[in-house]
Amino acid sequence: MKVTVMGASGLIGGLLVELLTREGEDVVSASRRSGVDVLSGLGLPKALAGADTLVDVTNSPSFDDEEVTDFFVRSTTNLVAAARAAGVGHYVALSIVGVDELPDSGYMRAKVAQEQIISSSGLPYTIVRATQFREFADAIVESLVVETDADEEDEHDVRVPDALIQPIAADEVAAFLAEVAISPPRNRVINIGGPEKISFARLAREVLALHHDDQRVVVDRQATYFGATLAKDSLVTGDGAMIASIPFC
Ligand SMILES: NC(=O)c1ccc[n+]([C@@H]2O[C@H](COP(=O)([O-])OP(=O)(O)OC[C@H]3O[C@@H](n4cnc5c(N)ncnc54)[C@H](OP(=O)(O)O)[C@@H]3O)[C@@H](O)[C@H]2O)c1
């Protein structure tokens, strides 16, 4: 089977290319590094020629509200048009569990726009929504650090939302995507999450302990997740989700 991985140089893309190649699939690795640009459309016809499946694991280099929206709307519109022209039979995209219930976040709104362009394109598709990658935990904790005293440079707390998170190993996300890529399109969203639902406070404490960092962790009902106000279960899977096996720590 011929599979084009768009975003092949990224965290998930790199793992996916390795897995599909090992399984004997005919893989095309595409990203700007290989001369393919989803925003300008450069190289898309060649990257998709003869492909049975496109797996879209691109990400926006900027998380600024306007730029991230422009990235996912423009790239997905270009990818849908190029996939249709090339006769691609399955568009697989990676999204985020709970994405449609977090409208305060520009990033989440952009991912919802991406999903809508794919699901209304008429192309056979599967959207895989994953929970937060284990490998993203440091960046999540970093985003929650706040200065507690403007006069003291080193006075910081980690202010975490009172919510649950379900980290999943990137290896397991890639393995699931590899299976989806060579299976028939489901034409719906499917969810996958890590094996444990843990509090943001525990995630932060575990990450800080790994770095021998003694910053204080404070549960703060005002704290947001990249701009999104969270309910307890906003980021975790519900019934019917696939559950992975590698624990957070
Ligand atoms: N982080 C999480 O916890 C999480 C959870 C669930 C879902 N997701 C989703 O998973 C997806 C993949 O994430 P990731 O962390 O693997 O991404 P990543 O490591 O940031 O990789 C992004 C990829 O996109 C490519 N790219 C960026 N701009 C491009 C352009 N204009 N044209 C072509 N390729 C371009 C990059 O390659 P070049 O630089 O070579 O172009 C790179 O290969 C994202 O869509 C994200 O929303 C993330």
Side-chain angles (χ1 to χ4, degrees):
M1 193 171 228
K2 185 163 181 179
V3 182
T4 299
V5 177
M6 197 59 65
S9 61
L11 171 64
I12 300 296
L15 296 167
L16 185 57
V17 167
E18 228 179 275
L19 279 172
L20 288 167
T21 307
R22 209 185 304 148
E23 282 163 23
E25 309 301 340
D26 179 7
V27 183
V28 177
S29 297
S31 75
R32 285 173 302 183
R33 236 160 282 183
S34 61
V36 181
D37 191 329
V38 290
L39 294 179
S40 67
L42 184 78
L44 286 184
K46 188 169 172 222
L48 290 169
D52 300 293
T53 302
L54 159 66
V55 187
D56 178 4
V57 283
T58 57
N59 204 2
S60 170
S62 161
F63 285 16
D64 166 83
D65 276 13
E66 267 180 41
E67 289 176 49
V68 77
T69 301
D70 177 62
F71 180 87
F72 281 113
V73 169
R74 205 139 52 94
S75 65
T76 315
T77 305
N78 288 341
L79 283 169
V80 160
R84 191 178 289 129
V88 171
H90 189 186
Y91 190 137
V92 179
L94 182 57
S95 188
I96 305 169
V97 166
V99 69
D100 50 346
E101 285 171 28
L102 298 167
D104 331 336
S105 152
Y107 187 85
M108 299 293 181
R109 289 197 301 275
K111 292 294 289 184
V112 170
Q114 177 192 32
E115 288 191 357
Q116 281 167 349
I117 294 167
I118 296 165
S119 60
S120 63
S121 68
L123 289 171
Y125 73 95
T126 307
I127 292 169
V128 175
R129 288 185 181 172
T131 53
Q132 281 59 47
F133 307 155
R134 208 164 161 253
E135 291 74 0
F136 194 47
D138 281 9
I140 293 174
V141 173
E142 186 60 44
S143 77
L144 296 169
V145 173
V146 291
E147 229 172 71
T148 50
D149 184 343
D151 300 328
E152 293 290 333
E153 234 180 59
D154 288 334
E155 289 298 307
H156 296 115
D157 278 349
V158 181
R159 299 215 153 237
V160 297
D162 185 13
L164 296 170
I165 186 159
Q166 194 178 346
I168 182 167
D171 277 322
E172 291 190 287
V173 175
F176 187 60
L177 280 174
E179 199 183 307
V180 168
I182 57 168
S183 304
R186 319 267 179 110
N187 296 311
R188 64 182 173 89
V189 169
I190 50 181
N191 290 279
I192 182 166
E196 301 168 287
K197 297 176 183 177
I198 62 175
S199 65
F200 265 76
R202 181 174 152 207
L203 176 101
R205 290 195 185 102
E206 304 272 12
V207 166
L208 294 174
L210 276 175
H211 295 293
H212 308 288
D213 184 329
D214 60 1
Q215 278 184 92
R216 215 161 53 121
V217 175
V218 179
V219 178
D220 179 351
R221 285 172 198 284
Q222 310 303 317
T224 60
Y225 176 72
F226 295 104
T229 305
L230 300 181
K232 197 96 179 169
D233 286 342
S234 295
L235 295 179
V236 299
T237 55
D239 293 343
M242 292 288 304
I243 300 298
S245 62
I246 301 175
F248 177 60
C249 29

